[in-house]
Amino acid sequence: MGQAPLRSQAPREAAAQPPAMATRHGPHPDAAPFLSQADETEEEAVEGGSRAGGGQPEVGVQTVTGISYPRSVMIVAVLCYINLLNYMDRFTVAGILPDIESFFRIGDSSSGLLQTVFISSYMVLAPIFGYLGDRYHRKRLLCLGIAFWSAVTLGSSFIPQEQFWLLLVTRGLVGVGEASYSTIAPTIIADLFVSDQRSRMLAFFYFAIPVGSGLGYIVGSKVKDLAEDWHWALRVTPALGVVAVVLLVTVLQEPPRGAVERHSDSPLRYTSWAADIRALSRNRSFVLSSLGFTAVAFVTGSLALWAPAFLYRSCLATGQCRPCPDGDTCSSQQSLIFGLITCVTGFLGVGAGVEISKRLRRTNPRADPLVCAAGLLGSAPFLFLALVCAQGSSAATYVFIFIGETLLSLNWAIVADILLYVVVPTRRSTAESFQIVMSHLLGDAGSPYLIGVISDRIQRGRPASYLLEFHSLQYALMLSAFAGVLGGGFFLATALFIQGDRKRAELSTQGLLPEEAEPEDRIVVPKRGRSTKVPVSSVLI
């Protein structure tokens, strides 16, 4: 009975400690007041800001982060530019794949390894940068990662014909830069904006994925044509990467972690990496949405690498174009058209997904996963029809690809938003890395290689012909349409748990829902009355 008042002193004593205690794992004191709930609408946030002091919600965010609204927008623009470069570099290889196959004299299986090796490296390194991104200076990690990525990409353009294995090694090392960026950049945006503004900024950021992918095809194919040498296509993004590092150094100002979402002045509580993983594995919305995104990665990974080659083989099979002679450049028309389609559909799909979800959220709190499910389930039949119609009508094929990719792009920004509002700020980089590992391990790390293996297996033992090469790749790519249906099912399951998991994350961020203590923080009663040392935080005075 006498201990009850004493228990209530512990939180006050913890809150009274200097803010520097919060920086044990990071550079910033994370002890700022909470501004607005993550599920508030913009109108509610404005009203709350007016009641508090008559200012706009952006002014409140500026007070907490110390970063002006125009500077925050500039930071997002720089991050978007770098995201664009990342995906340009990733799909430049796909845009010049026939030239690479001709130069190194490799088959479909080896071609598929180019993407698989990169994704595998990216996947393995993501948890490392996720751990570092939750605890250390994010700006420095970004600068080092992008500088390394640019140097390795430039080096890959000088590999001689006899050393294809070295090209595989360099594509694997490129994953270092991309892992550092993809796990950290979304968490910076989350610490700069709240509510609907965050959703819009994430949409702007994720425009870069399909648009950058399309530009990779376009820039790669056009630079190759102008230089009459595919090696120059790999030298564009490293030059732009130098500009990215300069912009990061001069523009990026790192915000304190989670400051705009906390309800109390108490510092954020960091837990061990193992505890973070256990908590994430129990977060059903996070796990199920990550599985749904894995299906997206499987589909986009296989299409990104093989769609231009498939369209080129369709052109050869129908006699609409001629094969590329040995030592000469191949036709880049298909890569150019597919790149343009990817740019336009990405712009339309990402923007439409965010706006549709925002409007539906007013009446349905499960709108986010439902829109993702609708996009995946709707894209599957159109992608299937694009494969079936390729030999009969090129125009119909491009129309079906356009519709299918638009629907597929609905989920890019929404999935990122789901992760940020169902996971507490101190685990977001780790959650990003966990999602990257899952989506790539079961998605696009294996799908390009798997498609290539199936295509080679179908051709084995049969007389070589352009028609056989077309049909083998056509049948292999049909696997992607079925993966989209499976992913839609995972997003439907996410809708069952999204409300509860979001509310738990909000309460935990505000300090209103204490988490289970770590084993090292529990009091252990010694046997036989022996004395022992226990953590001060475990003792009730």
Side-chain angles (χ1 to χ4, degrees), residues 287-310:
V287 172
L288 289 169
S289 63
S290 297
L291 287 171
F293 190 67
T294 299
V296 177
F298 187 99
V299 177
T300 55
S302 57
L303 289 178
L305 184 69
W306 289 114
F310 171 73

Side-chain angles (χ1 to χ4, degrees), residues 142-344:
L142 288 176
C143 291
L144 290 174
I146 293 168
F148 183 82
W149 154 71
S150 300
V152 172
T153 302
L154 180 63
S156 68
S157 67
F158 296 98
I159 295 173
Q161 188 175 15
E162 304 80 23
Q163 296 177 327
F164 174 71
W165 64 270
L166 190 55
L167 181 62
L168 292 176
V169 171
T170 56
R171 293 307 297 172
L173 291 176
V174 167
V176 175
E178 297 217 20
S180 68
Y181 180 78
S182 298
T183 56
I184 294 173
T187 68
I188 294 177
I189 296 175
D191 290 334
L192 290 171
F193 298 96
V194 293
S195 191
D196 286 340
Q197 282 191 343
R198 176 191 290 174
S199 298
R200 291 196 183 99
M201 291 300 171
L202 285 172
F204 182 56
F205 177 77
Y206 283 102
F207 275 136
I209 293 180
V211 174
S213 303
L215 287 176
Y217 298 114
I218 296 169
V219 173
S221 60
K222 298 311 292 182
V223 169
K224 177 203 70 174
D225 290 343
L226 292 174
E228 297 183 349
D229 184 357
W230 65 267
H231 293 86
W232 283 97
L234 297 179
R235 297 167 188 168
V236 176
T237 50
L240 298 175
V242 175
V243 178
V245 174
V246 173
L247 289 173
L248 281 175
V249 173
T250 56
V251 175
L252 180 59
Q253 182 178 347
E254 186 170 348
R257 291 177 177 86
V260 296
E261 295 169 283
R262 288 201 300 281
H263 188 61
S264 67
D265 292 333
S266 61
L268 286 172
R269 177 176 177 266
Y270 287 91
T271 53
S272 66
W273 186 81
D276 291 346
I277 295 299
R278 284 197 298 271
L280 291 173
S281 65
R282 293 194 294 265
N283 189 324
R284 291 171 293 187
S285 295
F286 169 72
V287 172
L288 289 169
S289 63
S290 297
L291 287 171
F293 190 67
T294 299
V296 177
F298 187 99
V299 177
T300 55
S302 57
L303 289 178
L305 184 69
W306 289 114
F310 171 73
L311 295 171
Y312 176 66
R313 293 185 186 185
S314 171
C315 180
L316 290 176
T318 56
Q320 298 177 21
C321 60
R322 294 177 297 176
C324 54
D326 291 339
D328 201 355
T329 57
C330 302
S331 171
S332 59
Q333 181 181 2
Q334 289 74 31
S335 294
L336 181 61
I337 296 175
F338 185 74
L340 289 171
I341 290 175
T342 303
C343 284
V344 175

